[in-house]
């Protein structure tokens, strides 16, 4: 990394990174699969959930396309996933990862813009942000729909954020997520910091294997990494 380059954009994943998951995403996948006749206790279910766990961080529609060769079934399952996830939010709400809001505030106070990005569709992204009251928490919200439909592990969402926020150099970007696909997309986008967190889907070994520049206990450690390893100087926002 060029230590004279200042990180100006932090791209943070939502579920498992900034927002506590608690198994909700996997439960919504299971309910969505059931609508297509793929139920627990079957080989199809076991294989499908293995694919889900492997593909965590990717566009949810892309995951269902890997499971079902039929586009209509994939789209129906994706719709069921969104309904199931929204239903869980209605029943029990959502909570930030402890310290996530303070971490975003630290970044903002240092003049680092924050983009929250996700593999959810746009409607589910909106529901999450509504529930948390985060409409003013981030400078930008990005989902695969905003990047031509390609989510992780492609770099498109990060590069879309860079274009919209007029980042001068992709090396001025930090990426933080809880899956190997977050890490891969960060590297493909050219980000200098590509950090994994241990609050979500994938463990330290998986994140290391994916090439994480840092593996953090949680997103709360990210500001210190940015401030320690770059020339980021606190500045008014």
């Amino acid at each position: 990394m060029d230590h004279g380059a200042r990180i100006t954009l932090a791209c943070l994943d939502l579920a498992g990174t900034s927002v506590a998951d608690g198994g909700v995403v996997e439960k919504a996948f299971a309910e969505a699969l059931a609508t297509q006749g793929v139920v627990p206790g079957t080989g199809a279910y076991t294989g499908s959930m293995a694919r889900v766990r492997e593909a965590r961080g990717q566009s949810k529609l892309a995951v269902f396309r890997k499971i079902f060769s039929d586009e209509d079934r994939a789209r129906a399952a994706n719709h069921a996933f969104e309904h199931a996830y929204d239903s869980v939010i209605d029943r029990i709400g959502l909570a930030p990862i402890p310290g996530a809001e303070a971490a975003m505030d630290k970044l903002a106070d240092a003049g680092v813009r924050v983009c929250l990005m996700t593999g959810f569709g746009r409607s589910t992204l909106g529901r999450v942000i509504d529930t948390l009251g985060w409409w003013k928490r981030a400078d930008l919200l990005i989902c695969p729909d905003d990047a031509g439909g390609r989510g992780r592990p492609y770099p498109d969402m990060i590069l879309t954020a860079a274009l919209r926020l007029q980042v001068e150099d992709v090396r001025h970007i930090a990426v933080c997520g809880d899956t190997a696909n977050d890490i891969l997309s960060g590297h493909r986008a050219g980000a200098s910091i590509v950090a994994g967190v241990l609050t979500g889907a994938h463990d330290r070994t998986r994140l290391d294997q994916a090439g994480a520049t840092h593996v953090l206990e949680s997103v709360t450690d990210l500001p210190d990494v940015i401030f320690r390893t770059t020339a980021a100087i606190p500045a008014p926002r």
Side-chain angles (χ1 to χ4, degrees):
M1 180 199 296
D2 176 2
H3 288 275
R6 176 172 174 242
I7 294 294
T8 60
L9 172 63
C11 293
L12 312 180
D13 174 53
L14 277 176
T17 301
S18 304
V19 182
D21 180 9
V24 172
V25 171
E26 196 161 301
K27 184 176 187 300
F29 267 115
E31 292 185 17
L33 290 170
T35 67
Q36 301 303 307
V38 181
V39 296
T42 65
Y45 177 83
T46 300
S48 295
M49 289 307 294
R51 285 194 173 189
V52 165
R53 295 180 185 114
E54 175 69 20
R56 285 294 298 269
Q58 294 184 18
S59 156
K60 305 304 177 278
L61 178 56
V63 176
F64 287 118
R65 282 173 172 155
K66 291 180 178 179
I67 295 172
F68 302 111
S69 57
D70 181 87
E71 179 70 10
D72 289 340
R73 288 188 75 191
R75 288 188 176 277
N78 186 63
H79 178 75
F81 172 90
E82 292 180 343
H83 178 77
Y85 194 86
D86 289 353
S87 178
V88 171
I89 292 176
D90 289 341
R91 292 196 307 270
I92 65 175
L94 286 174
I97 291 289
E101 292 180 332
M104 286 187 269
D105 288 344
K106 285 183 181 178
L107 293 173
D109 289 344
V112 178
R113 288 168 295 181
V114 173
C115 173
L116 295 174
M117 53 182 51
T118 183
F120 293 141
R122 186 175 289 118
S123 63
T124 303
L125 170 59
R127 177 66 70 90
V128 170
I129 299 302
D130 267 339
T131 301
L132 294 169
W134 278 6
W135 287 107
K136 295 184 179 180
R137 178 69 63 180
D139 297 276
L140 186 64
L141 305 169
I142 291 284
C143 68
D145 292 341
D146 300 308
R150 294 210 314 179
R152 309 175 189 112
Y154 300 104
D156 301 34
M157 291 199 297
I158 298 169
L159 297 178
T160 297
L163 288 169
R164 292 191 182 183
L165 294 174
Q166 299 183 322
V167 173
E168 293 182 358
D169 189 321
V170 291
R171 292 172 296 178
H172 299 177
I173 300 173
V175 173
C176 186
D178 66 299
T179 72
N181 285 303
D182 290 295
I183 304 305
L184 183 53
S185 67
H187 281 301
R188 288 178 170 179
S192 289
I193 294 173
V194 185
V197 293
L198 299 175
T199 51
H202 291 162
D203 61 16
R204 180 181 296 275
T205 298
R206 187 71 194 285
L207 296 170
D208 277 333
Q209 289 174 343
T213 60
H214 305 76
V215 177
L216 311 176
E217 290 299 320
S218 84
V219 71
T220 60
D221 298 323
L222 182 65
D224 287 342
V225 169
I226 289 176
F227 303 151
R228 185 173 65 246
T229 59
T230 76
I233 300 172
R237 201 175 186 203

